[in-house]
Amino acid sequence: MGAQIRVYRQKISSTTSMRKIFKAMELIATSRIGKARARVAASLPYANAITRAVSAVASQSEIDHPLTTEPEQIRRAAVLVITSDRGLAGSYSASVLKQAEGLFELLHDEGKEVKTYLVGRKAQAYFDFRNREYSRVWTGGTDAPEFATAREIGEALLADFATDFEEGGVDEIHVVYTRFKSMVTQEPTVIRLLPLEVVEEQAASESDLLPLYEFEPETERVLDALLPRYIESRIFAAMLQAAASELAARQRAMKSAGDNATDLIKKYTRLRNTARQAEITQELSEIVAGADALAS
C-alpha cells in the first residue's frame, strides 16, 4: 500500500511540473499574440496599396504579360506550404498539411505535376518521414516572420515561374497557409499567386474608382517592377497571418493542457488519499486483531 502512495505522489509531482511548463508557454503565447496581430494590421496598408497599383496597371492596359496571362496548358504547379517550427500548438500544422494534401490531390487529378516548397520544421519533418521530395525549405522564426525571408521565397518562386517547363519551371504558384480570423478561429487557406487574377469590381462611389495612369516607361516594364513586390507582400502577409494563427493555437492548446493537468492532479490526489485511508484502516485492523489475540 505504501508503494502505491509513493507512485501517486510521483505522478502528482511530475504533473505539477508539466502544468507549470504549460502555464509558462500559455503566458508567452499570450504576450506575443498582440504583437503578431499588430504586425498583421500594419502590413495591410502596403499590401492594399500595391494590390491597387498592380490591378490598375493590369486592368487599364491590354498587354500579354506572362505574370497576368493564363497559360494555354498548365503542366507543373508550385505549392508553398507554411507551417510552424515548433509543436505544442494543437492541430495547427496538421490542419495546414491536410489542406495541402487536398490541393496536391486536386492538382494531380488535373494532370499537373507538383513542385513543393516548405516553410517550417513541421512541414519538413512531415515530408522527410514519408520520403517525399521538396525543392526548398525555410525554417526558423515562423512565429515572428522577417520580410527578408519572404523576399527570398518570392525570388525563388518567381525564378521557377520564369523558367521553361522543360528546365524544371512551373506554370502557376499556390500558397497554403492559415488565415487568422480571431483568437478562436483560424482557417487553413489556399490562394493562387500566379498567374495573377485581377478581378474588376463595380465601384461603390467615384472615390473607389481606380485612377487613370500614363505609364513611363512602358506598361510591361512597370509590371516587371511591380509584380515581384506584389508577390513578396502577399507571401509576407500570409506568413504574418500564419504566425498569429500559430500563437493563438498554441495559447489555446496550452490552456487546455494546463486545465487537463489540474484535473489529473485532483484525480491523483483523491486516489492517494483513498490509498492512505485504506492503509490506515488496515493498520488499525491489524492492531485490533493483535490486541484481541493477546487478550484471548
Side-chain angles (χ1 to χ4, degrees):
M1 193 67 68
Q4 190 176 15
I5 293 175
R6 285 195 298 272
V7 169
Y8 288 135
R9 284 175 177 169
Q10 291 172 356
K11 288 184 176 181
I12 291 171
S13 177
S14 61
T15 307
T16 302
S17 299
M18 292 176 63
R19 183 176 62 177
K20 291 179 181 178
I21 295 173
F22 297 150
K23 185 63 176 178
M25 295 190 68
E26 179 190 352
L27 293 175
I28 291 171
T30 302
S31 65
R32 291 181 177 178
I33 187 65
K35 183 177 180 181
R37 295 178 67 180
R39 294 186 71 188
V40 172
S43 68
L44 291 178
Y46 175 78
N48 290 338
I50 197 168
T51 300
R52 188 178 177 87
V54 172
S55 299
V57 177
S59 61
Q60 295 180 18
S61 57
E62 297 179 358
I63 61 170
D64 186 15
H65 195 279
L67 299 182
T68 57
T69 304
E70 190 80 23
E72 295 181 1
Q73 181 182 8
I74 298 177
R75 294 168 289 181
R76 184 182 294 125
V79 178
L80 175 66
V81 183
I82 302 177
T83 63
S84 65
D85 283 324
R86 297 181 296 155
L88 298 179
S91 61
Y92 166 74
S93 292
S95 298
V96 177
L97 292 169
K98 181 179 179 180
Q99 188 79 10
E101 289 289 1
L103 176 61
F104 295 153
E105 184 177 352
L106 176 63
L107 293 174
H108 285 142
D109 290 343
E110 294 175 352
K112 302 174 185 176
E113 298 180 21
V114 177
K115 194 171 184 178
T116 310
Y117 299 81
L118 308 177
V119 175
R121 294 189 181 94
K122 286 297 178 180
Q124 183 180 19
Y126 179 86
F127 277 74
D128 287 342
F129 181 77
R130 290 161 178 76
N131 294 320
R132 293 169 61 175
E133 295 182 356
Y134 49 88
S135 296
R136 290 189 63 178
V137 60
W138 292 267
T139 59
T142 56
D143 56 350
E146 298 293 337
F147 186 74
T149 305
R151 176 176 293 172
E152 183 180 345
I153 296 172
E155 290 174 351
L157 293 176
L158 283 174
D160 275 354
F161 189 77
T163 304
D164 293 334
F165 172 80
E166 291 75 12
E167 299 177 3
V170 299
D171 301 312
E172 64 179 0
I173 300 174
H174 300 268
V175 179
V176 185
Y177 70 102
T178 305
R179 177 179 296 171
F180 181 86
K181 289 190 172 182
S182 67
M183 290 296 296
V184 179
T185 307
Q186 298 87 42
E187 179 183 359
T189 305
V190 177
I191 60 173
R192 192 181 82 162
L193 284 183
L194 292 176
L196 181 65
E197 295 178 340
V198 179
V199 180
E200 298 183 29
E201 299 181 354
Q202 181 117 15
S205 64
E206 292 183 2
S207 61
D208 294 328
L209 293 174
L210 290 173
L212 295 175
Y213 292 101
E214 291 185 2
F215 303 106
E216 179 68 31
E218 56 272 9
T219 308
E220 288 83 354
R221 293 181 62 183
V222 174
L223 276 178
D224 289 340
L226 277 180
L227 280 168
R229 307 288 83 78
Y230 169 78
I231 296 301
E232 292 169 3
S233 68
R234 289 293 299 272
I235 292 175
F236 188 53
M239 294 173 68
L240 291 176
Q241 294 264 356
S245 300
E246 176 187 347
L247 291 171
R250 181 168 291 114
Q251 180 195 33
R252 204 165 53 248
M254 291 300 96
K255 186 181 186 307
S256 177
D259 293 342
N260 290 338
T262 299
D263 293 340
L264 279 176
I265 291 172
K266 291 179 180 179
K267 176 183 176 181
Y268 291 144
T269 301
R270 185 172 60 252
L271 291 173
R272 182 197 62 185
N273 293 339
T274 301
R276 183 186 297 168
Q277 224 172 16
E279 184 180 17
I280 293 172
T281 302
Q282 182 179 355
E283 290 178 354
L284 289 174
S285 300
E286 291 173 354
I287 292 173
V288 171
D292 291 342
L294 290 175
S296 62

